[in-house]
Amino acid sequence: MATWANLGLQDSSSPLMEQLNFFHDHTLLILTMITILVGYIMGMLLFNKFTNRYLLHGQTIEIIWTVLPAIILMFIAFPSLRLLYLMDEINTPSITLKSIGHQWYWSYEYSDFLNLEFDSYMIPTNELETNGFRLLDVDNRIVLPMNNQIRILVTATDVLHSWTVPSLGVKVDATPGRLNQINFLINRPGLFFGQCSEICGANHSFMPIVIESIPMNYFIKWITS
């Protein structure tokens, strides 16, 4: 989850988010190099008093500053497209979870099991335990097994919502009358927090998401209990 004075991205908990972190750093390095180069050239233009009185045209430099940005954009575009296709790829899922957005709570259905569905409301501050997280904890957490492919089907019943868990690199719009899906794998146990990321009305800030990732044997015990 996000912490105080955290200027970077959250620690990744899935292979996809790890790749997104790498792409962010890769792109930021390219942008830093461009900024330094352009800043240096502008500084030279402002403070250098030398002029070339014989310079009438510069076809060579024009070719360079046309071709070079195109090459730099390719270094950004190819990794970006690779990631976009990876995010859309649906591997054979072990478990399917259906998430339905309401004003202002989430309801979940485990499609592979009979009669396993529940609503998930934010715990009000006056009912929160001492070790709880204000505006982030819920009364019913999603429980999912780690190191398994999970498919999430997302929809809504009233207005637009967005099912978002930053540490997993997951953000899916919940649209009434439409079923969106995304695939991810959680590679470590723990609690992962998210929130609705689409302005959906007065209590938009109060519909958090909590995923509890546990080993498969504990998940089977939870399912059968």
Side-chain angles (χ1 to χ4, degrees):
M1 62 180 293
T3 52
W4 294 111
N6 184 10
L7 299 179
L9 299 171
Q10 295 183 25
D11 292 338
S12 62
S13 304
S14 70
L16 182 60
M17 187 58 192
E18 191 174 335
Q19 291 295 316
L20 286 168
N21 274 332
F22 289 153
F23 176 68
H24 170 267
D25 296 341
H26 166 77
T27 309
L28 201 62
L29 180 63
I30 293 174
L31 290 176
T32 304
M33 291 167 59
I34 292 170
T35 305
I36 291 171
L37 177 63
V38 172
Y40 173 76
I41 292 171
M42 289 179 68
M44 293 296 291
L45 285 171
L46 288 171
F47 299 110
N48 193 343
K49 299 184 184 304
F50 296 111
T51 56
N52 186 347
R53 58 181 176 169
Y54 299 110
L55 183 62
L56 299 176
H57 61 84
Q59 289 185 351
T60 306
I61 191 64
E62 287 185 11
I63 291 170
I64 292 171
W65 71 40
T66 303
V67 172
L68 193 61
I71 295 171
I72 292 171
L73 285 174
M74 287 170 65
F75 275 97
I76 297 174
F78 287 139
S80 174
L81 288 170
R82 171 181 166 273
L83 267 177
L84 281 172
Y85 280 106
L86 279 174
M87 291 170 72
D88 274 343
E89 185 70 28
I90 300 296
N91 299 311
T92 306
S94 302
I95 289 173
T96 298
L97 175 70
K98 187 176 181 182
S99 172
I100 305 167
H102 308 269
Q103 287 182 312
W104 287 273
Y105 65 97
W106 297 97
S107 58
Y108 299 101
E109 301 173 5
Y110 286 79
S111 306
D112 303 300
F113 307 98
L114 294 174
N115 301 321
L116 186 51
E117 55 187 66
F118 53 85
D119 296 332
S120 181
Y121 290 87
M122 186 194 76
I123 301 175
T125 305
N126 58 347
E127 298 176 14
L128 201 61
E129 295 181 5
T130 311
N131 60 351
F133 294 102
R134 179 177 169 271
L135 302 183
L136 283 177
D137 257 324
V138 296
D139 55 357
N140 291 310
R141 296 171 176 168
I142 309 163
V143 179
L144 292 173
M146 57 181 283
N147 293 326
N148 283 272
Q149 290 291 339
I150 311 295
R151 176 172 58 187
I152 304 287
L153 304 175
V154 183
T155 187
T157 57
D158 35 45
V159 297
L160 289 175
H161 300 278
S162 185
W163 198 85
T164 306
V165 183
S167 60
L168 300 178
V170 174
K171 183 180 172 108
V172 194
D173 283 343
T175 310
R178 182 183 176 89
L179 204 61
N180 293 326
Q181 70 173 353
I182 198 164
N183 189 73
F184 63 86
L185 180 143
I186 308 173
N187 56 17
R188 62 189 175 96
L191 290 178
F192 308 107
F193 295 88
Q195 289 177 300
C196 175
S197 297
E198 187 77 49
I199 296 176
C200 55
N203 292 331
H204 157 67
S205 304
F206 310 117
M207 46 186 303
I209 301 155
V210 183
I211 296 177
E212 185 174 347
S213 172
I214 58 176
M216 179 56 94
N217 54 337
Y218 289 102
F219 178 75
I220 293 170
K221 287 180 183 177
W222 179 78
I223 287 291
T224 53
S225 60

